[in-house]
Structures are given as C-alpha cells and as structure tokens.
Amino acid sequence: MTDTAAAEILADVHRGVGHILLNRPKALNALTTGMVATIDRVLAAWEDTPLSAVLIASTSTKAFCAGGDIRTIREHSLAGDAEASERFFASEYRLNARIAEYPVPVVSLIDGMCMGGGLGLSVHGSFRVVTERAVLAMPETGIGFFPDVGASYFLPRLPGAIGMYLGLTGHRLDAADALYTGLATHFVPSDGLDAVGEALADNPGDPVDVVLNRLAGRSPVAGSGLAAARGDVDWAFGAPTLGEIEKRLRHLDSTWAAAASAALEAASPQSLEITHTLLARGRQHTLRECLAAELALTRTTIRTPDFLEGVRAALVDKDRTPNWRRASLGGRTPPLS
C-alpha cells in the first residue's frame, strides 16, 4: 500500500462502528487500484473485530465516488499493460463480492455523485443512504465500456425493465428515483449525515434499519420522475432486442422517450450490444458468476477502439464527441450464458 493510497482512504473504528472515508476529493474519489486494495484490506482485517456496522462515506460533499479511475485504465491499454488493468478490475470485483458477503451490515452514505464503481462500493452493502444531493448512474455505454462492478447482477434485479433502461442509457437518478428503484434504502438530509455514525454507536443492539429510520427526513420518493414514466420504461426496455427497444421508443413519441432515444444514439453501439446481452442473462446468475463474466469481458473491451475513443472524448480531451466504430461484435456474445 502506498502512502498516497493510505491518505486517500481513511479508516478507523469508533465505538464499535467501522468508518471508511474516501478522501480523494479533487478526483471525485475515482478509485485507483491502491484505494481498492486498501479498502479490501481494511474490511478483511475487521472481519475478526466485533462491530455493529461499517460505514462507507466521503470527505467531499460533491461526490461519494465518481467511479473507477478509467482514464488510467485507458493509459494502460495504450501502453499495452494488460496486467495493470487486470489487477485493477480483479481487485475491484473482489471488493464488491466482499462487501456483498460481509458479516456485519455495510452502510453507505451517498452525498453527491455516485457512479460506476461508486455503486459497486455501495449497492452490494445492506443499506444505502442518500441525501438530497445524491446522483446515481451507470454511464459506461457512453464511454465505450459496459456496466460492471456486479451491475449484470443488480440491474436485472431492479423492478420491471428499469435496470435495462439504466444500463443502456446511463440515466442519472436523483434521490427520489434511487429510493423508488431500491438502489437506495433510506433518505437522510445532508445536514443529518454526521449523526448516522453516532446513532449506530449509541444503539448497537437495535436493527440498523430502525436506527436509520429514526434519522430519516421526509422521503422524496413521491416525486420520482422514473415512477411517473414506469409504464413506458417497462414496455420499451422490456423489448427482446435492441432494435425493438429503439422502435418502441419512436412509437411512444414523448419527451421521456426522445431523451432515451438520444441517449442510445449517443452511446457506443458495441457497448449497447454487450450491455443488453449481459443484463438479459444476469438475473439467472449469482453475483460471483456475474463478476467473473464481467472480468472476462474487461480483458477484450478495454482494448477496443470504442473504449479508447469513448474515454478520450469524455475524460481526456473532454470534447464529448466520440467517433464510434459503429461495428457490432460480429455475433460474439459476452461470456455469460
């Protein structure tokens, strides 16, 4: 573990509650291999410590975690360093599985942006607390990648066709949408977040759910835009093929459908094909099977022109005008059957 990684992850135990703080604010807590390894090592060490809960939070109000440090992965690909990329994804997915199987409740406090790898850190835990500033998304198809960190497991398990919609379009969820879908479990106003750790420490014998409900403000879930569009989401994104999804969106002729169509049009065709296949099959597989399939997919995807171009357009040159190859996978399907 480097000193940098140690400084970017702050961990301690306070009155029977483990605290893990993401502390790379200038990069919106984008996860490096060192950060992932540090969190994994901390959680492994705490498995033998009598804790009532583990909290994962951020020192920044802008972001819980913006995802993995994907720009560095692109640099590895360009340099031909497949081993470095493999190390990152294997470490990240191992951590996702550890969080899912952790012996005590893991509580994530999502204040600000939570995307990609940020969802990998939070959604596999027992409780996901959002504030009014929370923004959640899996935006990978827009950078020539695919929803990973176990998304092929958790997205298909969302109600109806919501997971397919989120995975293909990268749609951003606010707190109300996150609660409606179940990606978030509780709402606590941002000015009440600091009280969560103390409340858990004060009430170690109470169910975490009960403690969080005591702190909760009035839930914004009634204002969910996704709930309002739910019938259209299920009909369009429940279609059996990408072509049929696009056709149904055109048929709907609504503002929501036009936005969804535009998102699909802007995404990498290769990524859409991979993502649709992954999510269609994910519900019949375990989390570990999904993570293994995703890891196998990363090895080929990160070397493709669409990935290199997508990350360039979004994160390097930031011109937001990727030139996709418009090529399909030629009938090859992702390794999740």
Side-chain angles (χ1 to χ4, degrees):
M1 176 177 65
T2 65
D3 290 341
T4 301
E8 290 170 346
I9 300 296
L10 308 176
D12 70 343
V13 175
H14 178 62
R15 296 172 60 214
V17 177
H19 293 255
I20 295 173
L21 279 176
L22 308 177
N23 187 40
R24 196 187 178 205
K26 287 184 179 176
L28 301 178
N29 293 327
L31 296 169
T32 64
T33 305
M35 291 168 71
V36 168
T38 300
I39 298 170
D40 195 55
R41 206 159 18 239
V42 166
L43 288 175
W46 285 351
E47 284 189 2
D48 298 324
T49 306
L51 300 176
S52 58
V54 170
L55 277 184
I56 303 179
S58 166
T59 59
S60 165
T61 57
K62 285 185 179 178
F64 171 76
C65 171
D69 192 348
I70 213 77
R71 192 193 314 205
T72 300
I73 299 300
R74 179 181 186 268
E75 290 169 4
H76 293 329
S77 293
L78 290 171
D81 191 352
E83 190 179 327
S85 296
E86 175 93 7
R87 197 160 52 243
F88 171 75
F89 288 115
S91 300
E92 186 179 29
Y93 300 172
R94 185 164 54 246
L95 174 58
N96 298 151
R98 185 185 296 280
I99 290 170
E101 298 164 2
Y102 209 61
V104 301
V106 177
V107 183
S108 294
L109 305 183
I110 302 171
D111 187 26
M113 192 182 298
C114 178
M115 298 187 180
L119 277 169
L121 281 184
S122 54
V123 78
H124 298 298
S126 309
F127 301 98
R128 287 86 61 191
V129 177
V130 288
T131 74
E132 70 281 1
R133 295 188 291 230
V135 179
L136 283 68
M138 293 298 292
E140 288 78 10
T141 60
I143 58 166
F145 197 51
F146 61 90
D148 64 330
V149 295
S152 59
Y153 177 83
F154 67 77
L155 287 180
R157 285 166 172 78
L158 298 183
I162 287 174
M164 186 66 78
Y165 167 57
L166 298 181
L168 291 175
T169 66
H171 176 74
R172 295 186 175 201
L173 307 173
D174 59 14
D177 287 340
L179 290 158
Y180 173 71
T181 60
L183 287 172
T185 60
H186 295 78
F187 175 78
V188 173
S190 55
D191 60 8
L193 274 192
D194 288 346
V196 173
E198 292 303 317
L200 290 170
D202 288 341
N203 303 278
D206 290 355
V208 172
D209 187 50
V210 171
V211 175
L212 293 175
N213 280 331
R214 289 190 198 120
L215 299 172
R218 180 180 170 84
S219 172
V221 71
S224 167
L226 198 48
R230 175 67 189 280
D232 288 347
V233 170
D234 285 357
W235 182 66
F237 285 86
T241 65
L242 277 171
E244 183 64 21
I245 289 172
E246 291 164 347
K247 185 176 172 184
R248 291 184 185 185
L249 287 172
R250 286 193 297 272
H251 179 80
L252 282 169
D253 191 29
S254 65
T255 303
W256 170 81
S261 291
L264 293 179
E265 182 61 31
S268 155
Q270 170 184 279
S271 294
L272 293 177
E273 195 171 330
I274 292 172
T275 300
H276 186 269
T277 303
L278 266 184
L279 299 188
R281 296 173 176 177
R283 199 180 298 202
Q284 64 203 46
H285 291 274
T286 66
L287 173 60
R288 284 190 173 270
E289 287 170 342
C290 287
L291 288 168
E294 291 171 11
L295 183 59
L297 262 177
T298 64
R299 295 176 187 132
T300 52
T301 307
I302 62 174
R303 296 202 300 268
T304 62
D306 268 16
F307 175 76
L308 299 175
E309 172 65 4
V311 178
R312 178 206 66 76
L315 301 174
V316 181
D317 299 333
K318 300 183 180 178
D319 55 33
R320 302 284 170 183
T321 54
N323 181 25
W324 304 125
R325 282 292 177 92
R326 299 279 160 194
S328 77
L329 291 178
R332 287 180 290 117
T333 55
L336 188 61
S337 55

